[in-house]
Each structure stands twice: as structure tokens, then as C-alpha cells.
Amino acid sequence: ELFLRASIVCSPRYLLLNTMLQDDVDLEALVNDMNSSFESLYTSCSVQTESTSLLHNGQPPRPAAYHTHAQPTSQHQRLCRSQPMHILAVRRLQEEDQQYRTSSLPAIPNPFPELCSPASSPTLSSGSFPQCQPSGKYIIKIFSEDGMGKVVEIPADMTARDLCQFLVYKNHCVDNNSWALVEHHPALGLERCLEDHELVVQVQASMTSESKFLFRKNYAKYEFFKNPLNFFPEQMVALCQETSGTIPPSQLLQNFLNSSSCPEIQGYLYVKEMGRKSWKKLYVFLRRSGLYFSTKGTSKEPRHLQLLADLEDSNVFTVITGRKLHNAPTDFEFCIKPNKVRNEVKELRMLCAEDEQSRTCWMTAFRLFKYGILLYQNYKIPQQRKTLLSHFSAPVRSVSENSLVAMDFSGRIGRVIDNPVEAQSAAMEEGHAWRKRSQRMNILGSPSPLHASSLSGVIHRTQLWFHGRLSREESHKMINQQGRVDGMFLLRDSQSNPKAFVLTLCHHQKIKHFQILLCEEDGQMFLSLDDGATKFTDLIQLVEFYVLNRGVLPCKLKHPCTTVAL
């Protein structure tokens, strides 16, 4: 009704009609009446809009003090009030209304916290466009040693160990806790194995587009916990004091893992000068605080020590490009790469040791000084997992397996073998039946499986430890990649003798080669590693024997050098 009244009052037809009917109209009274109508209309509309918005949000109406306006006190103020003044007042009231509503809302838990994340959160803000992956998920491409790659989607908190376990499960590999994720930089010629606790996404953030992840075995990852004396020669380990104190062998690893102790690795290293191709032989000290070299012989005085590299923001890498690229004095080169360095070769700290044992000692000590007790925890996790699963290791036999019995069908009718010793011997004979059948076939005149023309069909070529026509240099490279530990081995074809094979074995971090020759006895061909003293019908039987017996080898065959295809 108030709105209709104001419309009638403001209508030109109404004004004209009043002027025509009442010539003695009071114009001043008419203007005052119009102003008062406008003011009452504005007040009622603002109160109604305000109450509606608050009720819409579930709040009670605002107190009257928020929508009370002072009435004009003079006639001049009434005449100056106009519609633009009312619009500004509406805006001011809306701002006050918004402030009041924000402060008076109840504390209701937000069901979508990711929509209100801080600026540092990886979630997308309003108005931004998605770049690549949604928050919390990242795309990682992993390559195998044959060059094939696989793309996987992982969460942001996945560690290197978890990713290796995932790949082992997906590719049906043997889970022996020796798989590792390798950070490979082909442009720099560097690579390193990620520690099990490292986050894969963080490592990928420091890599270039040419860098990639490799999935391979690494048996030497925690081998120093089992045989520390083979990794840390006595002459290279000392205390940081000026006196040349030595560490007892029984407390060697305890001093490395204990952050309060002060062990150090000392010795001569070839150090490449920054930005040059020349190398200098310096006496170097590796401590928890960093890598130092002495400017005066072998002095340990602080005034004679200068910092070469920091351990906190760096990682140690193996150089895979060889000594020709950097003109290294020996083949045992390694590198300390700062995390901020991308493709700048000048920023790398290139080092070179005298032999493989010294290089392994320097690189292992670098890892121990940087990560400390974390490495020991990573080493213990698989063992603790095995302990927990040992209670469930006994297989549960099904009803059909319990109903199986040993049978003998050598006579006219079958009989049940009650004697367990006889049943076990029968099972062993059945397991070697394929060898006896192959021997009978050779006697009847069929080609021997060891003949050069039929090597492609011999069963040993399907074994993971056999690598065919692999060169000596390639076998060294493969063993270096998977760790120089005692018992690492592979078999390959001989390059000098087409009818022979070669056993490549690692012992005391040295790679040795043993030739497997053919020998004939009573018209039958055998394989032998010791000039016929011990003969085998095939390579599988030979490997099975030396896994259990050392024989003429320096150690037993323990870790087969294998490759996997993703």
C-alpha cells in the first residue's frame, strides 16, 4: 500500500489533476509531502531487504540501531536529500551487513577444506587453470634396463621403497628387497640409487627433462651393514682429533651412526679443478660437516683445511661416462652434485679414487654422514617384515593335497609307496628325468643340446643369469650397476671360444672370469670349470652345484645378475 501511495503521489497525471482542480495548491506542501513519502518508502524497503537476507542465512534480524536513520532537522536538509544519496547509503548498509553476517555466523566445520587451502597449498585457487595433474597425484615415468618405459601415477608422499614394491608387484618380480630406483642423468653422465626413505616427487622436482628414473637391482645398497670391514679399510678410517686415533672394528658402524661421535674418512683423491680439465692429487677428509682438503700435506689443523663440498644440500653420484670425457686419471670416478645444479658441469665436484674399494668407501661414508640412523632403519625394515610374516610362513595344505600319496607305476599295476625315504628318492628321480631323457636322445643320435648349431634351444638360455653374447666390458658394467658384492655372478658366451662359456664372478669388489669348457668322456659331452675334475651335463646343473659348494671358485654363487623388462 505504501508503494502504491508513493507511485500515485509521484505520478505526473496526479500532479496535473490536482493543479487543474485546485488552483490555489500549496507547492511547498506538495514537495514536502513527496520527500516524506520517498523517505518512508526507502526506510521500509531497506528494513525488508535486510531482514530477508539475514533470515536467509539462518540468523535473527539485526538490532534496530543498525537500520535507524536520523531525520532531517530543517527544511533545507529535506530539500537537499535526493535519490543518489539514498544509493550511497544502501551500499554502506550492505557493507555493514556483510561484516555483521561474517562475524555472527556459527562455527560450522567446513566439509570441503581443500577449497579454502592456503596460498602455499598445491590445490588450485579460484580462477586458476589446471597445469598438469590434480593435487596429490603425480605422473612418473620409469625405465627398465632394456630401454622400455612405464608411466605410473603415484601420490605425493610415496617413497622410493614403496614405488619399488609397487613395481615388483605389478611386474611379478621376485621380492628380495634388492630392487632400487636409480636417478639417471644422461647429459651429465651421472646416476645414483635413491634412498628408500626419499620422496620420489621431491627428487623429480630437481631433475631435468632429459633425466629419468631406472628400475634395477642393487645388491650393495646395505651390504656395508653385513661386512663393514670390507667397505672401510683400517687406514682410511680415523678420528677427527689431531692425534691419529683409530676406531675399533667392533665399534666402526656405531661411530658412523652416532651423531655425537667424530669419525672421518681420510686419504688421497684426485680432484678436478672447477672449470678446468686438470686434476690435482690432494689429501682429503670427509666429515659430517663436509668434504675438506689440506693445503699443507696431511695436516689436520683448521687453518690448513678448505671446504670442497657440503653434504647437506648435495648427493654423491657414480660417473658412468668413463674417464675419457673428463680426462680422469683412473677409472674409479665419482661426483658430488649440489641439488640446485641442473646441467651445469662446471658446478660439479668431480673426484677420482685410486681403486674400487677406496671409491666405495668414500661414497658409503658420504651416505652414512648425511642420513645416519635413517639408513639403518631402512636396512631393518625388510628384516622386521620377514619376522612378522614368519608366523604365517607355514603353508596351509588343502584337502586335495592331503589326499595325495606317492605311487609307483613301474610294475604291471600301481602301488602306494608307504616308506617316506623311498617316496623322496622317487621324487628326486622324477625331477631329474628330463636330464636322463636328453642323455638317451644323444645316444640314439640326436644332436647334442651343447652343440653350437642348437644353442638357441638349450634351456639355460631361459635362465635369468645367462646373458648370451655379452662382452667383457658390458659384463663389468652390469655388475657395477647392480653392486660389487661377493657372489654376484652371470654366465655368458665366450668370445674367444665359440663352444665354451664364461662365468663372471665378483669377489672382494673385484670382477673375475672363469672359462667353462667342454670335455668328452665315453662319447658323451660334459661341461667343466676345473679341467674335468667336476663334470656337469648342462649349465643349470653347474650353477646349482656352485650355489651350494664353492669348489675352485673364491666364493659361492649368491646373487644372479639379472635384468627386468617393465
Side-chain angles (χ1 to χ4, degrees):
E1 294 177 359
L2 182 61
F3 182 79
L4 293 176
R5 175 188 173 188
S7 301
I8 295 174
V9 171
C10 298
S11 175
R13 294 184 179 180
Y14 178 78
L15 295 176
L16 181 60
L17 182 60
N18 287 342
T19 304
M20 294 174 60
L21 297 178
Q22 301 177 5
D23 295 336
D24 55 345
V25 66
D26 189 357
L27 295 179
E28 183 177 356
L30 180 60
V31 171
N32 292 337
D33 189 18
M34 292 174 60
N35 283 334
S36 61
S37 301
F38 272 120
E39 188 172 359
S40 60
L41 175 63
Y42 164 70
T43 303
S44 62
C45 291
S46 62
V47 172
Q48 183 179 1
T49 305
E50 183 179 24
S51 302
T52 305
S53 60
L54 290 176
L55 290 174
H56 179 70
N57 287 275
Q59 299 295 324
R62 212 165 37 172
Y66 280 86
H67 54 265
T68 302
H69 303 277
Q71 299 293 334
T73 58
S74 64
Q75 180 180 357
H76 177 71
Q77 291 179 353
R78 290 198 194 99
L79 294 175
C80 291
R81 292 180 66 90
S82 61
Q83 192 171 358
M85 291 295 294
H86 295 301
I87 293 176
L88 294 176
V90 170
R91 291 178 179 174
R92 180 175 58 82
L93 284 176
Q94 288 179 351
E95 293 176 358
E96 293 178 0
D97 178 57
Q98 181 67 24
Q99 181 180 1
Y100 177 79
R101 283 164 35 189
T102 303
S103 60
S104 61
L105 284 176
I108 302 176
N110 187 5
F112 304 102
E114 64 275 7
L115 301 180
C116 303
S117 58
S120 60
S121 176
T123 57
L124 299 177
S125 59
S126 59
S128 61
F129 296 96
Q131 299 293 332
C132 48
Q133 302 94 9
S135 61
K137 295 291 184 179
Y138 295 86
I139 300 299
I140 303 292
K141 190 170 185 180
I142 303 171
F143 293 86
S144 58
E145 292 175 299
D146 58 355
M148 302 301 294
K150 174 178 288 188
V151 177
V152 295
E153 185 181 18
I154 65 172
D157 59 346
M158 176 170 278
T159 62
R161 179 193 292 275
D162 296 336
L163 183 55
C164 289
Q165 293 289 329
F166 174 77
L167 294 175
V168 166
Y169 172 76
K170 285 294 184 180
N171 295 278
H172 308 286
C173 303
V174 178
D175 186 11
N176 52 6
N177 300 304
S178 61
W179 295 100
L181 200 64
V182 180
E183 178 185 354
H184 180 73
H185 300 272
L188 301 176
L190 306 176
E191 69 178 22
R192 76 174 181 99
C193 288
L194 270 68
E195 303 297 343
D196 287 339
H197 65 272
E198 288 190 80
L199 298 179
V200 181
V201 174
Q202 291 184 359
V203 177
Q204 189 188 39
S206 63
M207 297 168 58
T208 61
S209 58
E210 297 179 354
S211 305
K212 55 186 178 181
F213 288 117
L214 303 178
F215 179 61
R216 71 159 72 113
K217 281 183 174 290
N218 182 17
Y219 292 101
K221 186 163 52 174
Y222 301 118
E223 190 68 18
F224 57 89
F225 284 116
K226 304 175 183 177
N227 303 304
L229 297 180
N230 295 339
F231 285 80
F232 301 102
E234 185 178 356
Q235 68 276 8
M236 295 184 64
V237 183
L239 298 175
C240 292
Q241 287 78 6
E242 183 65 26
T243 58
S244 57
T246 58
I247 300 176
S250 59
Q251 301 179 0
L252 183 62
L253 286 179
Q254 286 81 350
N255 282 271
F256 279 105
L257 297 176
N258 188 7
S259 58
S260 60
S261 61
C262 301
E264 71 176 13
I265 301 297
Q266 59 186 7
Y268 283 99
L269 281 177
Y270 294 96
V271 181
K272 186 179 180 182
E273 299 185 50
M274 301 291 285
R276 299 182 180 181
K277 294 184 178 180
S278 58
W279 295 73
K280 284 187 177 181
K281 190 175 183 180
L282 303 173
Y283 200 74
V284 184
F285 304 92
L286 180 61
R287 300 174 177 176
R288 298 187 190 277
S289 56
L291 184 68
Y292 303 86
F293 74 95
S294 178
T295 58
K296 187 178 180 181
T298 60
S299 175
K300 292 185 180 180
E301 295 184 13
R303 59 192 180 96
H304 295 151
L305 297 182
Q306 290 189 11
L307 182 66
L308 273 176
D310 187 16
L311 275 64
E312 185 65 25
D313 298 326
S314 304
N315 284 302
V316 60
F317 286 79
T318 304
V319 181
I320 58 176
T321 52
R323 57 189 300 184
K324 294 184 179 180
L325 180 62
H326 304 286
N327 197 22
T330 66
D331 294 327
F332 313 104
E333 191 178 0
F334 63 102
C335 169
I336 296 179
K337 173 183 172 294
N339 296 334
K340 63 180 180 180
V341 174
R342 296 277 181 165
N343 285 328
E344 297 82 5
V345 183
K346 297 181 180 180
E347 299 294 331
L348 302 178
R349 180 58 70 181
M350 308 299 298
L351 306 167
C352 201
E354 294 283 353
D355 50 25
E356 179 62 32
Q357 188 179 25
S358 300
R359 179 174 69 170
T360 305
C361 178
W362 288 103
M363 298 180 66
T364 305
F366 187 99
R367 296 171 55 201
L368 282 171
F369 283 146
K370 181 175 181 180
Y371 298 108
I373 197 65
L374 279 176
L375 291 184
Y376 186 72
Q377 293 174 355
N378 295 337
Y379 166 67
K380 281 295 184 180
I381 286 177
Q383 298 182 358
Q384 295 173 356
R385 188 177 302 171
K386 289 182 180 179
T387 304
L388 293 175
L389 296 177
S390 62
H391 303 286
F392 308 97
S393 59
V396 180
R397 300 184 62 182
S398 63
V399 177
S400 58
E401 291 176 342
N402 292 327
S403 61
L404 296 178
V405 294
M407 298 289 296
D408 179 20
F409 295 98
S410 58
R412 292 185 178 181
I413 58 175
R415 68 179 181 89
V416 177
I417 303 177
D418 297 327
N419 190 354
V421 178
E422 184 183 359
Q424 185 177 4
S425 62
M428 294 179 61
E429 291 180 2
E430 184 66 23
H432 295 282
W434 65 272
R435 291 195 178 99
K436 296 180 180 180
R437 286 193 293 268
S438 63
Q439 294 176 6
R440 288 196 297 267
M441 291 293 294
N442 295 336
I443 296 175
L444 294 176
S446 62
S448 173
L450 300 176
H451 195 269
S453 61
S454 60
L455 281 178
S456 59
V458 177
I459 192 173
H460 65 260
R461 292 192 173 273
T462 62
Q463 302 301 309
L464 298 177
W465 39 257
F466 189 79
H467 296 273
R469 299 189 61 82
L470 193 71
S471 64
R472 178 185 288 253
E473 292 75 15
E474 292 173 341
S475 64
H476 280 227
K477 180 181 177 181
M478 185 172 294
I479 290 182
N480 287 331
Q481 290 176 347
Q482 300 192 15
R484 290 198 177 195
V485 297
D486 291 350
M488 171 78 72
F489 74 97
L490 62 87
L491 271 76
R492 55 188 177 87
D493 292 325
S494 175
Q495 294 181 323
S496 58
N497 188 354
K499 296 184 179 181
F501 304 95
V502 176
L503 170 66
T504 303
L505 177 66
C506 182
H507 178 64
H508 286 174
Q509 299 184 3
K510 295 182 179 180
I511 301 176
K512 302 179 180 180
H513 304 273
F514 303 89
Q515 197 169 39
I516 304 173
L517 299 175
L518 284 172
C519 59
E520 185 178 358
E521 182 179 347
D522 298 333
Q524 189 174 354
M525 304 300 295
F526 293 95
L527 291 171
S528 179
L529 195 65
D530 51 4
D531 296 331
T534 309
K535 298 180 288 294
F536 307 95
T537 58
D538 52 42
L539 289 180
I540 297 180
Q541 192 179 30
L542 183 145
V543 170
E544 290 175 352
F545 175 82
Y546 286 107
V547 166
L548 303 175
N549 308 277
R550 190 184 73 174
V552 296
L553 300 177
C555 63
K556 299 179 183 179
L557 305 183
K558 188 176 181 181
H559 304 294
C561 191
T562 62
T563 59
V564 63
L566 293 176

